[in-house]
């Protein structure tokens, strides 16, 4: 390029950069090269270049101004910093640190307290562009409380970029319940990325109050912590199992599944149920039933726990499970000296397993005064031929209640023979109430044999009418079961 007069040349080149926004990159590069080669080009007199719209111009100016190492230029740039676009401010703030990093704190002490938002905003750029922005936490404490939400939010993002710094972490944790949902979201996202035990308490305080997305972030973080810090989490989950909001109950269940020591979880859960209101117990058990299959391996030892409440709770949790690891402790309970109702619970669980040895154990108790009803019911639902044979022997029992229990067991039995036995009993039993009960069972089965049901019901009504007539004639008398009272 031809040389011009020195003053005219530099001046015209600068004016061309200032005015020609459509200049090609090639022409711009050539002009900048000439400016850089001219000893009369003074970067300190052309600070406007650091905020030029073209990146090449800004890069040129930054390089030459940084080389001057003049703190006075930093003061000038600070005056120009407010009001610029975010990207320009970041570049200028970085340059200011290179020129006068030691005096930035002096400027910040005034800027963070300025009444002008753009100056406080520029202060954040100065802080964030420092290679060691954590050195300015005292100023960030001021902007963290800024009345302008955007400044407070941006401060939150800066602090969230290093939650390993204890001061940053504590500042953020103190604001996790902030009124500003954006601030809460930034903090939750930061804590969720790098979960540590200290977030357990604030997360549980917020988890029921946040939106679905934030809940998801917290659950993911707590799940990771559950595998390492089980003690910090488990007891906080138990009340959530009975929460009125289904999503909160689902969260508790999901987190409980992540616990490595599931036997401990179950034991604490079952202890938790002691003394709580019935509706809390029912809702909690309902929630835990959803993961009962995941907890099965933890149940057998608890079935034999020294605490009766734990044993009973474990049996409730085992309901519906077909894990054969439950068989030994259940048989031990069934054949123990436990209270009858606990042994009956064991019988109800044993019916799930159609093994001959279990059928035999149930049959052994069919005449036991404490367990006969439970054994009869279990044999019917177990559905084995051997069990059916044992049930048939009890149809001649003198106790009508036992015979009704056998009929109910027959109705649960899958064989056609069992249904036929109910029909025969409806025709021939000596007790009209037993007959009527058999008819009710047949109708409940909805077999579609309306003619048979009508016939049995007519016979039942006829027998009842005949007895009433005989009683009216004096042919029947009331007899007390205790002969001394007759």
């Amino acid at each position: 390029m031809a040389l011009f007069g020195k003053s005219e040349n530099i001046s015209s080149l600068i004016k061309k950069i200032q005015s020609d926004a459509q200049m090609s990159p090639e022409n711009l590069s050539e002009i900048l090269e000439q400016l850089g080669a001219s000893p009369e080009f003074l970067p300190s007199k052309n600070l406007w270049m650091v905020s030029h719209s073209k990146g090449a111009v800004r890069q040129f100016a930054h390089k030459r101004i940084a080389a001057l190492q003049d703190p006075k230029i930093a003061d000038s740039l600070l005056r120009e910093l407010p009001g610029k676009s975010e990207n320009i401010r970041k570049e200028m703030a970085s340059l200011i640190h290179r020129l006068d990093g030691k005096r930035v704190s002096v400027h910040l002490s005034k800027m963070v307290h300025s009444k002008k938002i753009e100056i406080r905003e520029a202060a954040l750029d100065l802080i964030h562009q420092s290679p060691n922005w954590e050195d300015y936490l005292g100023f960030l404490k001021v902007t963290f409380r800024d009345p302008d939400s955007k400044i407070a939010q941006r401060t939150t993002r800066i602090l969230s970029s290093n939650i390993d710094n204890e001061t940053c972490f504590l500042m953020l944790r103190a604001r996790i319940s902030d009124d500003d949902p954006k601030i809460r979201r930034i903090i939750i996202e930061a804590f969720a990325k790098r979960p540590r035990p200290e977030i357990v308490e604030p997360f549980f305080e917020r988890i029921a109050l946040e939106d679905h997305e934030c809940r998801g972030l917290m659950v993911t973080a707590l799940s990771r912590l559950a595998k390492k810090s089980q003690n910090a989490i488990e007891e906080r989950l138990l009340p959530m199992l009975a929460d009125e909001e289904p999503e909160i109950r689902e969260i508790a269940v999901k987190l409980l599944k992540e616990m490595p020591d599931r036997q401990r979880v179950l034991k604490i859960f079952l202890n938790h149920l002691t003394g709580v209101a019935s509706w809390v117990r029912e809702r909690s058990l309902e929630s835990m039933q959803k993961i009962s299959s995941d907890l099965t391996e933890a149940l057998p030892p608890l079935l034999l726990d020294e605490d009766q409440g734990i044993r009973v709770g474990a049996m409730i949790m085992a309901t519906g499970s077909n894990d054969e690891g439950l068989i030994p402790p259940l048989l031990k309970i069934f054949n123990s000296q436990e209270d009858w109702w606990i042994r009956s619970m064991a019988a109800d669980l044993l019916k799930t397993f159609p093994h001959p040895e279990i059928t035999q154990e149930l049959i052994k108790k069919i005449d036991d005064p404490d367990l006969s009803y439970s054994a009869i019911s279990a044999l019917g639902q177990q559905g084995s031929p051997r069990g059916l044979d044992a049930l048939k022997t009890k149809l001649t029992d003198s106790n009508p209640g036992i015979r009704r229990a056998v009929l109910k067991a027959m109705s649960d039995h899958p064989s056609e023979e069992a249904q036929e036995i109910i029909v025969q009993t409806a025709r021939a039993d000596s007790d009209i109430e037993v007959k009527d009960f058999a008819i009710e069972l047949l109708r409940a089965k909805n077999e579609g044999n309306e003619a048979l049901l009508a016939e049995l019901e007519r016979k039942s009504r006829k027998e009842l009418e005949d007895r009433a007539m005989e009683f009216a004639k004096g042919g029947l008398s009331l007899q007390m079961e205790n002969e001394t009272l007759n």
Side-chain angles (χ1 to χ4, degrees), residues 102-274:
K102 294 181 180 179
R103 294 187 68 244
V104 166
S105 294
V106 176
H107 302 294
L108 284 174
S109 61
K110 298 177 181 178
M111 294 174 72
V112 296
H113 293 289
S114 173
K115 293 182 179 180
K116 294 182 178 181
I117 291 176
E118 59 268 25
I119 293 179
R120 303 199 302 275
E121 194 174 51
L124 284 179
D125 293 302
L126 272 178
I127 293 171
H128 201 199
Q129 294 309 306
S130 168
N132 302 298
W133 62 261
E134 293 88 349
D135 293 341
Y136 303 102
L137 287 174
F139 300 115
L140 287 174
K141 288 180 180 179
V142 177
T143 58
F144 202 26
R145 300 190 298 269
D146 198 282
D148 184 82
S149 61
K150 290 183 180 179
I151 291 178
Q153 290 163 16
R154 189 172 169 207
T155 303
T156 308
R157 290 190 183 92
I158 295 172
L159 294 169
S160 296
S161 66
N162 187 9
I163 61 169
D164 289 334
N165 181 289
E166 197 63 21
T167 302
C168 292
F169 176 82
L170 293 174
M171 288 173 66
L172 292 169
R173 191 175 68 173
R175 294 282 292 270
I176 198 169
S177 297
D178 197 88
D179 291 338
D180 188 334
K182 290 186 178 179
I183 288 179
R184 296 199 307 270
R185 176 63 179 261
I186 295 166
I187 295 171
I188 289 169
E189 286 179 344
F191 285 0
K193 285 179 182 177
R194 296 178 64 83
R196 49 194 272 192
E198 292 85 353
I199 71 167
V200 171
E201 183 176 349
F203 268 24
F204 274 114
E205 288 175 357
R206 295 302 311 171
I207 203 164
L209 305 173
E210 293 296 338
D211 60 28
H212 183 75
E213 281 191 42
C214 280
R215 284 180 181 178
L217 291 170
M218 289 188 278
V219 169
T220 300
L222 290 170
S223 295
R224 290 169 61 188
L225 283 173
K227 297 173 182 177
K228 299 177 182 179
S229 306
Q230 177 167 329
N231 295 1
I233 293 177
E234 56 193 14
E235 292 191 11
R236 289 183 168 276
L237 293 175
L238 301 181
M240 292 171 62
L241 291 168
D243 195 274
E244 62 182 14
E245 189 174 344
E247 187 177 352
I248 298 299
R249 300 199 296 272
E250 292 290 339
I251 288 172
V253 167
K254 184 173 181 179
L255 290 174
L256 283 170
K257 286 179 67 173
E258 301 297 329
M259 300 295 184
D261 189 348
R262 294 181 176 181
Q263 184 175 324
R264 173 187 165 87
V265 169
L266 269 178
K267 192 164 185 176
I268 290 175
F269 168 71
L270 296 172
N271 273 321
H272 169 73
L273 295 185
T274 305

Side-chain angles (χ1 to χ4, degrees), residues 378-448:
L379 286 168
Q381 293 180 67
Q382 196 184 44
S384 70
R386 191 175 179 185
L388 182 62
D389 291 339
L391 290 173
K392 286 191 288 187
T393 65
K394 300 298 290 181
L395 282 170
T396 58
D397 194 285
S398 59
N399 184 345
I402 290 291
R403 301 204 298 280
R404 287 196 296 270
V406 172
L407 289 173
K408 178 63 175 69
M410 293 286 188
S411 71
D412 293 329
H413 201 281
S415 68
E416 292 184 7
E417 181 183 1
Q419 304 312 304
E420 182 56 36
I421 290 172
I422 298 176
V423 174
Q424 293 173 7
T425 304
R427 283 175 169 157
D429 196 274
S430 59
D431 190 301
I432 192 168
E433 290 186 359
V434 174
K435 286 182 178 180
D436 285 345
F437 185 69
I439 293 170
E440 288 175 14
L441 290 173
L442 291 170
R443 185 169 289 284
K445 293 291 284 187
N446 195 23
E447 295 293 336

Side-chain angles (χ1 to χ4, degrees), residues 326-336 343-344 346-351 353-368 370-380 382 384 386-387 390-391:
L326 298 171
I327 293 176
L330 287 174
L331 282 174
K332 189 169 184 177
I333 294 171
F334 184 63
N335 291 312
S336 70
R343 297 165 70 196
S344 293
D348 192 54
L349 290 170
L350 286 168
K351 73 188 180 187
F353 307 98
H355 303 317
E357 61 271 22
I358 293 177
T359 301
Q360 184 58 37
E361 292 299 324
L362 293 170
I363 291 173
K364 287 179 183 178
K365 303 297 182 183
I366 203 169
D367 293 317
D368 186 314
D370 290 334
L371 293 176
S372 57
Y373 284 95
S374 298
I376 288 168
S377 175
L379 286 168
Q382 196 184 44
S384 70
R386 191 175 179 185
L391 290 173

